[in-house]
């Protein structure tokens, strides 16, 4: 209870005991709060109407106002006090009291506090100076206005207290429910009659009451109109706590129809209705009442005409009430039919089990339902694996299409099914069987089920095969076998050769990237030294262009060797091809016509979009050269399934669903000899100097690293078709967005550079030093960890992935983070195998800057990571401070702002600590927050909720922040956008009114960003 108010107020509980004593009461009566709180009110107020002060009795006026909890608030008035409003500031001490008034009846002027005025939508200053009653009456809901006016008049005429509930129309059109309580106070001679009081907010209570009534009405309607039987029972227990009976408390109309029991309410089941009712019913309902857990089941009731009931039972009114609600349906007819059918089936199955043949049954739609033990023993499979359409798993792949087609035709026509195919035995061998199935039909001629059998005819088939083999020459068989061996050896040789070349190119690319990094870094440093020398600047620029070409060459080598770190996204290949149409047309020229064919219902695939673009562009340019500038280029996208039969011919291809990209041309085509070498790096059919020979090898490596398959078809003079098979993805398509790099900023933080190549290390140190950073160095991971453990402050660890020595870079980074939790780790490499890249993808949470990189790219990545880490650190500090701080009491002189400016904010941030902290800050500002950790969660929340502002990070795990903002704007056109990021500028294409909130941000900067969007 806040006792710092200046008004003289005494707070009483329902028993008349003092619970609060304001500073004003202490001033009038002299008692300290510690002396009087907890004492009965009668100790300071005698039966003569005097208040007992510390210095004796005092003649004071008082007004008593009841509170919703049954207590009272007593306001005192000294002879020198003219207005009661000061003493009704008790609204500040109770969240349900939203205002106070004092009405000069004779002068018809009502004086109110600020909250009262706001409730009625009136000017606070005018209300404090007094307004006529009519101004307030007009704000009351039209349906309540006359009643309230009558009650006010009645109170004035009769005197006494006043209490009325009514609705008030708010300025925004919403309606509030309030309770007004006051008392008519007759004035002394020459003094006006006053009518003071307070206003309580009862909106929540009224809404709860209306919702409860609506719930009760819905329950009554549902209860009476249910087609199923419904009742509420009370369990009866014996002295040992066992359920022995139950009493019906309620029953709906359908109860009698399902049970045949008339007027059940008030009756006991065993005592009054059915003495022989089975004990399982009492145990069933007793368990529900005792455990509080709902149950369902189907049981017979012999005493109720041998009926069966499907029952759902659940507890109500609490576990200790013994009340159980029961929803049930009479299933007697279905149960009897089911039991009869079960008996018939048992006879059939007993007979089938005694037979030596394979016997099985299927439903009318052809799905296998049951198989006898002979089928299971022969195949070694379980019944569950063969049921439904699982039988196809034991049929020889060559025979399955015809067998399935014949089976489908028999199901369609209802005719006898008979065919021959091979069935796999438990040891993996296939044996021929004649399979026959006869339809079992109803009286109306409809197929009800199928009964089938499999008969082994392997010996007969072997005799046929032996006879056919006699017709083939021995020479042919030898020739075929020889060809098979040659093909197998050729495929093995090609696979080994490509793997060897891949390892070689990967290693070369690694060293080459290091050399390029040294050259690029020194050229970028040199560019600053020659500023103003136009001739030197041009030479440096040309040299840097050469570095870029070298980097592209290294990237192609890594692609072929399957060593590049991919960044796969879920894309729709059809949309991707359409977006490349202009680029393709510019690349191949106007004299070549391009046709794109995208199959309807195209699946998504998960692959690196940049590499797909490079692959299609390479294939298109190769096709252009093969057509010598004139012809037709066809690009197709469709769905494809590679089955086990096809994949058996390839060691590195898995059967399954794929998205097919095919590029076809009408060019000169290639011979078989060229096709055998076409994927090898540096092999080219073009004239010397016309191509690098890395285009197709890059495509080959990318597809293989993505888990796909590549096939090329070509004949001299007939053109070429290259087919890329990329694995299907069932996830939703992700949109690509390029986040622009800002200008070089630099910084003063300390960066530890761990690099084993001396030249690369020296170049990086020079570049970072030129940017203003303090730089420490180490030659390997062990020395890098020693620097960390020395205690020298380090902000960023910038380390190569591939390092000599026993300690690997990822392990060094992990140990460094344990010692310096706020440390930022950035990896760099020109070649990665299994350190931080697995399955061709970067490990979650790993930041990688691929060599060679530019000065701008290095600085941009470091600034971005430092900003995110700073925001995480700030969030952790704020949470720790909030956890230690005790909540301060609300100051009566500075009341909290009204929620007029409240916003609803959709906050999207994948860093949990930053998200939780920012949400707390927004809520402390009085705003409502909807949280999301990914773009997918954010879009789902946006579709289901109304909100005013989207606050989103740019670097989300499943979608860029700019793309998310565009999608949100499509759903909610009017929302404001705030990009909270470590980047120096908002994403390209963002709304012109979007606000940039740079990490790390404070409470004030966050508040300022929101204010810009109001």
């Amino acid at each position: 209870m806040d006792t710092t108010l200046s008004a003289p107020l005494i707070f009483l509980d329902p028993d008349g005991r003092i619970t609060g004593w304001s500073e004003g009461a202490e001033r009038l009566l002299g008692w300290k709060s510690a002396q009087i709180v907890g004492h009965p009110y009668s100790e300071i107020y005698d039966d003569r109407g005097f208040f007992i002060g510390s210095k004796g009795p005092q003649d004071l006026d008082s007004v008593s106002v009841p509170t919703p909890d049954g207590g009272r608030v007593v306001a005192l008035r000294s002879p020198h006090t003219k207005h009661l409003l000061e003493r009704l500031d008790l609204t500040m001490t109770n969240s349900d009291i939203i205002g106070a008034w004092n009405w000069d009846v004779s002068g018809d002027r009502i004086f109110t506090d600020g909250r009262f005025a706001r409730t009625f939508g009136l000017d606070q200053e005018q209300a404090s100076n007094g307004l006529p009653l009519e101004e307030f009456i007009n704000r009351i809901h039209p349906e309540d206005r006359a009643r309230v006016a009558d009650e006010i008049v009645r109170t004035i005429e009769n005197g006494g207290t006043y209490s009325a509930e009514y609705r008030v129309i708010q300025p925004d059109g919403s309606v509030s429910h309030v309770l007004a309580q006051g008392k008519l106070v007759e004035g002394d001679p020459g003094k006006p009659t006053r009518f003071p009081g307070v206003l309580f907010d009862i909106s929540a209570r009224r809404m709860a009451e209306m919702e409860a009534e609506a719930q009760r009405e819905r329950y009554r309607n549902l209860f009476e109109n249910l087609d199923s039987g419904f009742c509420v029972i009370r369990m009866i227990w014996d002295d040992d706590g066992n359920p022995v009976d139950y009493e019906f408390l309620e029953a709906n109309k359908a109860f009698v129809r399902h049970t045949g029991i008339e007027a059940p309410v008030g009756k006991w089941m065993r005592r009054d209705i059915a003495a022989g009712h089975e004990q399982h019913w009492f145990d069933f309902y007793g368990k529900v009442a005792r455990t509080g857990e709902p149950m369902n089941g189907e049981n017979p009731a012999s005493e109720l005409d041998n009926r069966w009931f499907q029952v759902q039972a659940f507890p109500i009114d609490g576990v200790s009430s013994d009340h159980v609600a029961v929803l049930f349906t009479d299933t007697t007819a279905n149960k009897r039919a089911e039991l009869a059918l079960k008996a018939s089936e048992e006879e059939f199955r007993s007979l089938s089990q005694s037979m030596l043949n394979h016997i099985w049954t299927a439903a009318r739609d052809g799905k296998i339902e049951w198989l006898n033990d002979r089928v299971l023993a022969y195949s070694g499979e379980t019944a569950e694996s063969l049921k439904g359409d699982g039988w196809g798993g034991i049929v020889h792949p060559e025979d399955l299409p015809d067998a399935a087609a014949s089976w489908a035709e028999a199901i369609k026509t209802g005719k006898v099914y008979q065919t021959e195919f091979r069935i796999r035995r438990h040891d993996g061998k296939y044996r021929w069987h004649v399979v026959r199935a006869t339809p079992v039909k109803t009286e109306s001629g409809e197929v009800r089920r199928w009964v089938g059998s499999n008969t082994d005819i392997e010996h007969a088939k072997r005799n046929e095969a032996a006879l056919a083999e006699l017709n083939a020459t021995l020479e042919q068989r030898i020739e075929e076998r020889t060809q098979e061996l040659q093909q197998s050896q050729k495929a093995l040789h090609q696979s080994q050769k490509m793997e060897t070349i891949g390892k070689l190119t990967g290693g070369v690319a690694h060293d080459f990237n290091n050399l390029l990094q040294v050259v690029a870094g020194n050229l970028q440093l040199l560019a600053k030294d020659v500023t103003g020398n136009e001739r030197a600047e041009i030479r440096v620029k040309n040299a840097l262009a050469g570095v870029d070409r070298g980097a592209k060459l290294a990237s192609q080598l890594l692609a072929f060797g399957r060593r590049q770190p991919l960044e796969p996204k879920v894309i729709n290949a059809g949309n991707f091809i359409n977006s490349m149409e202009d680029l393709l047309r510019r690349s191949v020229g106007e004299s070549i016509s391009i046709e794109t064919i995208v199959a309807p219902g195209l699946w998504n695939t998960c692959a690196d979009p940049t590499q797909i673009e490079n692959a299609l562009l390479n294939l298109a340019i190769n096709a252009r050269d093969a057509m010598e500038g004139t012809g037709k280029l066809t690009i197709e996208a469709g769905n494809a399934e590679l089955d086990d039969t096809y994949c058996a011919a390839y060691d590195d291809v898995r059967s399954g669903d794929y998205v097919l990209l095919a590029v076809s041309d009408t060019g000169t085509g290639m011979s078989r000899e060229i096709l055998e070498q076409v994927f090898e790096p540096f092999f080219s059919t073009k004239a010397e100097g016309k191509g690098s020979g890395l285009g197709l090898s890059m495509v080959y490596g990318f597809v293989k690293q993505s888990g796909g398959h590549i096939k090329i078809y070509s004949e001299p003079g007939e053109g070429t078709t290259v087919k890329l098979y990329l694995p299907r993805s069932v996830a939703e398509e992700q949109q690509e967005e390029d986040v622009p790099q800002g200008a070089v900023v630099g910084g003063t933080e300390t960066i530890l550079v761990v690099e084993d190549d001396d030249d690369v290390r020296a170049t990086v140190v020079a570049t970072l030093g030129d940017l203003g950073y303090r730089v420490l160095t180490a030659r390997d991971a062990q020395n890098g960890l020693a620097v960390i453990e020395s205690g020298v402050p380090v902000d960023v660890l910038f380390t190569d992935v591939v390092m000599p020595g026993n300690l690997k870079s990822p392990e060094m980074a992990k140990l460094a983070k344990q010692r310096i939790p706020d440390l930022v780790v950035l990896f760099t490499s020109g070649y990665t195998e299994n350190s931080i890249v697995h399955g061709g993808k970067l490990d979650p949470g790993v930041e990688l800057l691929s060599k060679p990189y530019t000065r701008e790219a290095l600085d941009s990545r470091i600034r971005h990571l430092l900003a995110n880490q700073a925001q995480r650190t700030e969030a952790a500090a704020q949470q720790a401070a909030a956890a230690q701080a005790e909540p301060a009491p609300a100051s009566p002189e500075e009341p909290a702002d009204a929620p007029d400016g409240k916003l609803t904010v959709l906050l999207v941030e994948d860093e949990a600590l930053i998200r939780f902290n920012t949400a707390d800050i927004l809520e402390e500002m009085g705003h409502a927050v909807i949280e999301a950790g990914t773009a997918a969660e954010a879009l789902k929340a946006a579709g289901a909720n109304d909100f005013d502002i989207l606050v989103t990070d740019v670097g989300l795990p499943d979608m860029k922040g700019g793309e998310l903002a565009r999608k949100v704007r499509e759903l909610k056109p009017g929302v404001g956008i705030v990009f909270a990021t470590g980047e120096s500028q908002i994403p390209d294409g963002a709304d012109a009114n979007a606000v940039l909130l740079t990490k790390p941000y404070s409470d004030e900067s966050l508040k300022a960003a929101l204010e810009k969007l109001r």
Side-chain angles (χ1 to χ4, degrees), residues 571-578 595-604 634-641 658-662:
I571 64 171
N572 182 281
N575 296 338
F576 195 85
I577 290 173
N578 290 334
E595 180 182 9
T596 58
I597 303 173
V598 178
L602 184 65
W603 297 329
N604 290 339
T634 304
I635 302 177
E636 301 174 73
N639 301 328
E641 179 183 359
Y658 291 82
V659 173
L660 168 64
L661 301 179

Side-chain angles (χ1 to χ4, degrees), residues 721-941:
T721 295
V722 181
K723 293 186 176 182
L724 313 181
Y725 296 86
L726 297 173
R728 176 188 181 184
S729 172
V730 297
E732 294 184 2
E733 180 182 11
Q734 297 173 248
Q735 300 296 325
E736 270 295 295
E737 177 185 351
D738 294 327
V739 179
Q741 290 184 0
V744 173
V745 177
T748 59
E749 291 85 357
T750 300
I751 301 178
L752 172 59
V753 177
V754 184
E755 170 64 63
D756 61 307
D757 188 299
D758 294 339
D759 293 334
V760 174
R761 186 172 64 253
T763 303
V764 175
V765 169
T767 302
L768 292 173
D770 185 61
L771 290 170
Y773 296 103
R774 182 188 176 208
V775 185
L776 306 175
T777 62
R779 296 178 59 87
D780 54 33
Q782 193 65 54
N783 288 323
L785 184 60
V787 173
I788 294 292
E789 291 177 336
S790 71
V792 176
V794 177
D795 301 298
V796 180
L797 171 61
F798 185 47
T799 177
D800 194 6
V801 175
V802 180
M803 285 284 214
N806 296 326
L807 183 64
K808 301 303 180 184
S809 292
E811 185 63 25
M812 172 195 65
K814 180 179 179 182
L815 295 173
K817 287 285 286 184
Q818 291 175 358
R819 289 161 174 78
I820 308 178
D822 292 341
L823 182 68
V824 169
V825 178
L826 176 60
F827 289 98
T828 182
S829 182
Y831 170 70
T832 55
E833 282 200 15
N834 296 317
S835 300
I836 59 174
V837 175
H838 294 87
K841 304 176 185 178
L842 284 174
D843 291 343
V846 170
E847 297 289 343
L848 175 67
L849 182 63
S850 295
K851 296 177 182 176
Y853 47 81
T854 64
R855 177 171 175 264
E856 291 76 13
L858 175 61
D859 182 61
S860 175
R861 183 65 69 87
I862 289 175
R863 298 316 311 166
H864 174 74
L865 295 178
L866 283 170
N868 269 353
Q869 182 58 50
Q871 187 63 45
R872 285 192 293 271
T873 303
E874 176 69 16
Q878 291 178 357
Q879 286 194 348
Q884 295 177 358
E886 295 183 359
S891 171
E893 290 80 9
E894 299 180 2
D897 292 337
D900 296 342
K902 177 178 180 180
L903 299 170
T904 300
V905 179
L906 175 56
L907 174 62
V908 189
E909 171 62 62
D910 60 321
E911 290 281 354
L913 181 59
I914 298 177
R915 185 172 70 253
F916 297 157
N917 179 256
T918 304
D920 288 344
I921 294 172
L922 289 169
E923 289 172 350
E924 287 177 3
M925 293 179 184
H927 305 308
V929 182
I930 304 169
E931 297 183 42
T934 64
E937 293 176 4
L939 289 174
K940 183 176 180 181

Side-chain angles (χ1 to χ4, degrees), residues 235-239 241-246 268-271 277 279 282-283:
M235 294 305 302
I236 310 297
W237 314 86
D238 63 15
D239 294 339
N242 299 313
V244 294
D245 211 341
Y246 53 81
W268 291 23
M269 185 66 189
R270 181 170 277 172
R271 185 191 68 183
H277 199 47
Q279 181 62 34
F282 303 99
D283 295 338

Side-chain angles (χ1 to χ4, degrees), residues 434-499:
V434 59
V435 181
R436 179 181 175 86
T438 304
V440 179
K441 299 184 178 182
T442 63
E443 293 179 357
S444 61
E446 293 182 354
V447 175
R448 183 166 63 84
R449 68 192 311 177
W450 296 80
V451 177
S453 64
N454 309 334
T455 304
D456 192 323
I457 57 171
E458 177 66 20
H459 292 296
K461 282 290 184 179
R462 285 184 180 179
N463 291 337
E464 292 177 8
L467 182 61
E469 190 175 2
L470 292 176
N471 296 325
T473 65
L474 179 61
E475 183 178 348
Q476 281 182 308
R477 292 200 298 273
I478 294 175
E479 178 69 21
E480 290 172 358
R481 181 57 179 163
T482 301
Q483 289 179 356
E484 289 177 1
L485 289 174
Q486 289 175 345
Q487 284 293 110
S488 177
Q489 290 174 352
K490 187 176 181 180
L492 178 60
H493 174 73
Q494 180 70 9
S495 175
Q496 290 173 340
K497 180 174 68 173
M498 297 296 278
E499 182 67 23

Side-chain angles (χ1 to χ4, degrees), residues 389-401:
D389 294 328
W391 62 274
I394 60 173
V395 178
H396 197 285
E398 294 177 2
D399 304 338
L400 182 58

Side-chain angles (χ1 to χ4, degrees), residues 98-100 112-119 122 124 127-128:
I98 58 174
T112 78
D113 61 9
R115 290 191 175 189
F116 192 103
R118 286 196 298 272
T119 300
L122 295 170
Q124 299 181 33
S128 65

